[in-house]
């Protein structure tokens, strides 16, 4: 047997403190360009010449660890990484904010851990995923009281939001006050603003991938918090010696109870429940079951009761074929439900979306330089535009089920991540999607296939009356939309600390949120592509520069992006979108574009950590007439989207004075939202009518706000088995009345015209007590 | 259903921390346009009624003084050629006394003003009676307010559109409620009105107009501008155009609507609640 060049192989497994293997851990050999990544089972293998080395193990949400080895023969080691959250009581705090991944081909993405999310002070003291996300460059929200978030000028309905692989349709509780994600149940999340890997598809603007964490396999533990407006409790633990773990958490708000004590018959509250059960079948197989149930209830004197929310169950089987091939198979059942009960009119109204979803994804490591990701995905969708029924015997409402829509959405994807040279890496791939609109009970047929008519005499668009109504069974395919979505990104690293990246992706969306307001309301209805609605297609190109400075103490990320979207949807004037059975009669198609520059500066280590984010951007739309005679919307000229923000500055800072006090600060300044101010008035039938011309030509005043928070860890809980802390926060510390909207109206008593500014939150202090056991 | 946006606005404002403040805003002023308010109506009980057509101009949003247009020639002609000439009795107001419209007849409006010819047409159909009006307490959106409810029965023929107007002394302008028969065809249904100033002794005058589809669509768009203009769930503001066409200069369009409707009217005075 010959020994060539005295090289030896080091193999090993990286796991967390509970013994669970960790995939995607970066392993670097200090002082060299050599590195590798653990596979999905936490295993790695490196071959090196004989010698002494320092191996650096790094992963999101874990403490970086260095291990010295003396490689004189083939060796194997096991490495345990400490959870970065647990280091609170240590004086020396290492990486708290995620530093920039310079070498990876992934660009336009930000990852956040549960710990970072809890640093951002929020309204009513409740850490919030979406409020943390909107502090990042390129991400904003349409305003307080607006649900969802906007990425690079895209609409809130254009974000693919996944929780343990389940698609979420509405990410907010109570009109944007809280997001539906419980930060305690989250392991990590990644927001892709661009450079979207081929395994994701179905929405055009962004992907928010949230993975929930599994229960503690060592012992029963939990955490909870009691706040002024809401509380939450999480319990987790092992069953079967840790082969199986469970995690259950629940949150509920209860400010409505205070209202009822004050004899106010109105209430608005939410509650949600998360559960996850994880079972290690053997070393090669893992099964997990994740479930969520959330509801919002808004009740005005019991006369108007509105209930809505999401339910899903997601089952996943992870299987390791061998050290190179790994797979994940998921099966998801999903329901988004909306109910309105209106006593004064005598009706009850239901609507919603349901789907069954199947995913099978593979990860194949061909060698150190090339990794493949490929798989398939399939959905069966059911859309319910509305079921109306009388809610009492005296009601005159007729029972009616509006025609449900059905669709089958399929995709196959293939991605290659390849290191071409030491400096240049490339990821290229595609997603091929096939969206099949299935038959339904009633299908309108219009003359000349035109559901919208232009009345040139009156200068208005009108709904066309159908000339016939036909029917098709669900097994019939009415329309099919097949789209090829190429995805490619390049990363060129000058060295370990500086790189430039270039990315292009095409995204296709076949589910459209029909909304007429500036931000989604739960009343809004989802509708599938079909004969009269084409898929939205987005092309984005982005270029960025990434840098870690001063040994990873600071990071800079800056990107330029340009997007264009085909087949955007806008509505004819006066479109009534509630309980609208045939939405094609109110729609005009157009195009959109957005472009901008993002800049992010982060301080990753030290007592003071945080970031400054700045985005300069524009987001606009154009809906020309279908013929030269028609005006379209805004005369066919470009108009700003409702969530366009020219300047968007965010500052997030966290200062750890010592192991007992932590101070957090958050400052936002943004250009005011585009709105329409009236340019005149007239009287008609004693009503004063404001005159508007054009679309989104004015802006609300600049929005700016400072939030402060303090976390205090009392000394008596030095015993690590029980930790508690107080959180005191002030939202809108200098009480700026930011205009959510300006309402132009005639005062009902005096008859005088006035402009009234609606501001949702003034200064709001909050207190909560958090405990971990 | 059309009120749901308004209801959601109230729901959000309940959030205890929100504030409504009157603010100063600088507004631009558009080129003034003509406005023709030609709402002809006949009470189901009376045989005839005085009709007033008002012609004005749009003006700056914060300007109090209406801009009236005088010296126009206004006439309404029926499909048989009979002409009803309106006389300018007050500045900007053109009146015709004793107008007796006939069911299932089309009427044509003609206005000559400032060298422009404006025309419109509308068909007059039979109205509907209010069945009964009742009052209740604490049943609406507020548990400490009176509420009045007007009942009516749709004839089930389909494509019926209704406008309810609620007039009171304490409101500067009436409350409009639109309802179509899509979900109530052939059934009895009701519409409600409530206000914090509706107390014992106050009288509410309720009108039920049976209107055309075109007028219904117009009022829907118009009320969307008035009700939720700029609110958190605002519909997109738009330029609401009616059925009056400028034959001379079609691009120089005119605001307002020409409608003829038959209406029923009932009034109710709030009485003390019996316990």
């Amino acid at each position: 047997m010959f020994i060539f060049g005295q090289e030896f192989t080091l193999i090993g497994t990286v796991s967390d403190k509970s013994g669970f293997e960790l995939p995607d851990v970066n392993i670097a050999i200090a002082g060299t360009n050599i590195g590798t990544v653990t596979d999905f089972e936490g295993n790695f293998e490196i071959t090196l010449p004989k010698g002494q080395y320092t191996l650096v193990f790094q992963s999101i949400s874990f403490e970086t660890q260095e291990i010295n080895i003396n490689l004189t023969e083939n060796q194997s080691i096991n490495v345990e990484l400490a959870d970065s959250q647990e280091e609170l009581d240590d004086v020396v705090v290492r990486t708290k904010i995620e530093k920039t991944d310079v070498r990876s081909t992934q660009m336009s993405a930000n990852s956040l851990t549960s710990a970072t999310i809890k640093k951002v002070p929020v309204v009513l003291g409740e850490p919030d995923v979406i409020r943390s996300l909107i502090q990042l460059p390129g991400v904003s929200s349409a305003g307080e009281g607006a649900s969802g978030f906007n990425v690079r000028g895209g609409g809130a309905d254009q974000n693919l939001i996944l929780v343990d692989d389940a698609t979420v349709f509405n990410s907010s509780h109570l009109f944007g006050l809280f997001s539906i994600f419980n930060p305690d149940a989250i392991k990590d999340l990644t927001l892709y603003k661009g450079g979207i890997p081929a395994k994701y598809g179905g929405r055009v603007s962004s992907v928010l991938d949230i993975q929930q964490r599994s229960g503690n396999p060592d012992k029963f533990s939990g955490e909870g918090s009691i706040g002024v407006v809401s509380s939450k409790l999480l319990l987790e633990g092992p069953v079967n010696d840790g082969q199986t773990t469970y995690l259950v958490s629940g949150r509920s708000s209860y400010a409505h109870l205070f209202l009822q004590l004050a004899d106010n018959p109105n209430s608005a509250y939410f509650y949600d429940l998360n559960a996850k059960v994880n079972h290690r079948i053997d070393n090669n197989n893992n099964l997990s079951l994740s479930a969520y149930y959330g509801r919002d209830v808004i009740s005005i004197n019991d006369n108007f009761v509105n209930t809505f929310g999401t339910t899903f169950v997601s089952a996943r089987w992870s299987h390791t074929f061998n050290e190179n091939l790994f797979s994940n198979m998921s099966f998801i059942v999903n329901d988004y439900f909306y109910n309105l009960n209106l006593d004064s009119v005598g009706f009850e109204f239901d609507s919603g979306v349901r789907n069954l979803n199947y995913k099978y994804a593979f990860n194949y490591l061909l060698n150190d330089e090339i990794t493949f990701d490929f798989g398939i995905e399939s959905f069966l969708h059911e859309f319910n535009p509305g079921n109306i029924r009388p809610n009492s015997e005296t009601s005159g409402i007729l029972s009616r089920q509006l025609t449900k829509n059905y669709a089958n959405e399929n995709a196959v994807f293939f991605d290659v991540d390849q290191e071409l040279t030491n400096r240049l890496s490339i990821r290229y791939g595609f997603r091929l999607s096939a969206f099949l609109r299935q038959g339904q009970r009633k299908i309108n047929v219009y003359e000349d296939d035109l559901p919208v008519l232009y009345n040139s005499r009156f200068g208005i668009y009108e709904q066309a009356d159908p000339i016939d109504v036909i029917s098709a069974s669900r097994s019939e395919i009415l329309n099919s939309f097949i789209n090829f979505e190429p995805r490619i990104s390049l990363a060129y690293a000058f060295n370990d600390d500086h790189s430039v990246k270039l990315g292009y992706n095409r995204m296709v969306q076949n589910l459209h949120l029909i909304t007429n307001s500036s931000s989604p309301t739960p009343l809004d209805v989802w509708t599938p592509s079909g004969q009269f609605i084409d898929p939205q297609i987005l092309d984005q190109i982005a270029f960025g520069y990434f840098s870690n400075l001063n040994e990873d103490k600071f990071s800079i990320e800056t990107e330029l992006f340009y997007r264009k979207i085909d087949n955007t949807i806008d509505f004819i004037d006066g479109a009534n979108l509630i309980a609208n059975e045939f939405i094609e009669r109110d729609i005009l198609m157009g195009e959109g574009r957005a472009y901008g520059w993002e800049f992010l500066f982060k301080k990753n280590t030290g007592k003071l950590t945080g970031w400054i984010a700045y985005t300069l951007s524009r987001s606009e739309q154009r809906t020309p007439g279908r013929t030269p005679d028609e005006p379209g919307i805004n005369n066919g000229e470009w108009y700003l989207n409702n969530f366009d923000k020219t300047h968007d500055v965010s500052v997030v800072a966290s200062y750890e004075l010592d192991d007992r006090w932590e101070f957090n600060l958050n400052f936002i300044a943004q250009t005011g939202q585009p709105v329409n101010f009236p340019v005149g008035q007239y009287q008609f039938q004693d009503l004063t009518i404001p005159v508007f011309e054009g679309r989104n030509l004015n802006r609300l005043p600049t929005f700016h706000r400072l939030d402060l928070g303090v976390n205090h860890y009392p000394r008596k809980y030095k015993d690590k088995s029980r930790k508690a802390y107080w959180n005191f926060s002030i939202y809108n510390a200098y009480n700026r009345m930011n205009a959510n909207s300006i309402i132009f109206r005639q005062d009902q008593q005096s008859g005088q015209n006035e402009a009234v500014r609606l501001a949702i939150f003034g200064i709001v202090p909050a207190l909560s007590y958090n405990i971990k056991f | 259903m059309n009120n749901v946006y308004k209801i959601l606005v109230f729901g959000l404002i309940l959030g205890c921390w929100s504030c409504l403040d009157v603010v100063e805003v600088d507004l631009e002023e558009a080129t003034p346009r003509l406005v023709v308010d030609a709402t002809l109506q006949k009470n189901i009980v009376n045989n005839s009624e005085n009709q007033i057509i008002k012609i004005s101009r749009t003006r700056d949003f914060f300007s109090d003084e209406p801009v009236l247009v005088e010296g126009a020639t206004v006439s309404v002609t029926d499909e048989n050629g009979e002409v009803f000439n309106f006389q300018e009795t007050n500045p900007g107001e053109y009146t015709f006394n004793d107008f007796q419209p006939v069911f299932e007849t089309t009427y044509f409006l003609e206005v000559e003003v400032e060298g422009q010819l404006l025309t419109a047409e509308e068909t007059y159909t039979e109205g509907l009676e209010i069945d009964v009006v009742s009052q209740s307490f604490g049943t609406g959106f507020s548990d400490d307010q009176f509420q009045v409810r007007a009942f009516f029965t749709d004839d089930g023929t389909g494509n019926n559109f209704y406008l309810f107007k609620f007039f009171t002394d304490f409101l500067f302008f009436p409350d409009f409620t639109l309802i179509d028969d899509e979900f109530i065809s052939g059934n009895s249904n009701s519409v409600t009105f409530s206000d914090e100033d509706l107390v014992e002794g106050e009288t509410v005058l309720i009108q039920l107009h049976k209107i055309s589809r075109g007028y219904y669509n117009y009022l829907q768009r118009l009320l969307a501008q008035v009700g939720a203009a700029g609110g958190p769930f605002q519909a997109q503001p738009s330029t609401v155009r009616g059925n009056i066409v400028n034959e001379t200069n079609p691009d120089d369009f005119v605001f307002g609507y020409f409608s003829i409707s038959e209406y029923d009217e009932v009034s109710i005075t709030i009485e003390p609640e019996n316990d």
Side-chain angles (χ1 to χ4, degrees), chain A residues 348-522:
Chain A
E348 197 172 339
F349 174 77
D350 277 344
S351 75
V353 189
R354 289 200 221 172
N355 64 55
L356 291 177
N357 182 205
Y358 172 76
K359 301 186 204 214
Y360 199 13
F362 294 84
N363 175 270
Y364 178 59
L365 184 76
L366 179 65
N367 53 43
D368 275 343
E369 280 95 40
I370 303 184
T371 311
F372 294 98
D373 273 297
F374 53 94
I376 59 172
E377 183 172 5
S378 183
F379 283 90
L380 280 175
H381 293 286
E382 180 192 282
F383 303 87
N384 178 7
N387 175 293
I388 297 117
R389 49 190 187 273
N391 71 348
S392 71
E393 281 127 27
T394 55
S395 160
I397 298 285
L398 300 170
S399 244
R400 188 145 142 218
Q401 170 64 56
L402 301 185
T403 308
K404 291 189 185 177
N405 310 122
Y406 304 98
N408 174 221
E409 185 172 11
N410 304 297
V412 60
F413 66 89
F414 189 84
D415 232 353
V416 183
D417 200 333
Q418 182 173 0
E419 231 179 81
L420 291 174
T421 76
N422 199 17
R423 293 177 189 263
L424 184 64
S425 302
I426 182 170
R427 191 178 71 219
Y428 51 98
F430 68 90
R431 186 178 176 91
L432 187 66
S433 57
F435 188 84
L436 309 171
R437 176 78 184 261
Q438 297 169 272
Q440 58 191 49
R441 190 171 41 101
K442 280 204 285 180
I443 302 162
N444 277 352
V445 179
Y446 304 96
E447 192 167 342
D448 293 332
D449 281 340
L450 288 175
V452 177
L453 300 173
Y454 181 64
N455 183 327
S456 50
R457 183 163 165 78
F458 294 156
I460 56 176
Y461 283 96
E462 291 172 332
Q463 296 181 337
D465 284 328
I467 53 178
D468 194 7
V469 180
I470 58 177
S471 183
S473 83
R474 246 172 107 166
S475 53
E476 252 181 82
I477 309 288
L478 300 177
N479 311 93
S480 60
F481 301 97
I482 301 184
N483 281 289
F484 180 72
E485 305 172 37
R487 317 274 176 94
I488 179 167
S489 4
L490 277 124
Y492 181 80
F494 299 104
N495 50 44
D496 269 345
D497 294 320
H498 304 276
S499 67
V500 288
K501 304 190 192 182
L502 179 67
Y504 162 76
N505 63 5
R506 163 167 284 209
M507 309 289 294
V508 173
Q509 180 163 344
N510 282 297
L511 265 59
H512 315 279
L513 184 66
I514 302 297
T515 174
N516 216 357
S517 63
S518 40
S519 81
T521 72

Side-chain angles (χ1 to χ4, degrees), chain A residues 131-149:
Chain A
R131 287 189 194 276
S132 304
L133 282 176
I134 63 184
Q135 311 306 328
L136 297 170
V139 189
S140 66
S141 83
E144 289 160 335
S147 67
F149 56 98

Side-chain angles (χ1 to χ4, degrees), chain A residues 110-112 131-140 191 193 600 611 613-615 648 650:
Chain A
N110 295 100
S111 294
L112 291 177
R131 287 189 194 276
S132 304
L133 282 176
I134 63 184
Q135 311 306 328
L136 297 170
V139 189
S140 66
L191 175 70
K193 303 175 295 198
L600 177 66
W611 68 78
Y614 172 68
T615 309
D648 186 355
S650 284

Side-chain angles (χ1 to χ4, degrees), chain A residues 62-80:
Chain A
F62 291 98
E63 288 302 311
T64 299
Q65 202 174 118
E66 290 180 0
I67 290 186
N68 295 320
I69 58 156
N70 189 6
L71 193 64
T72 54
E73 54 180 2
N74 290 336
Q75 270 185 43
S76 90
I77 57 173
N78 285 325
V79 181
E80 244 182 38

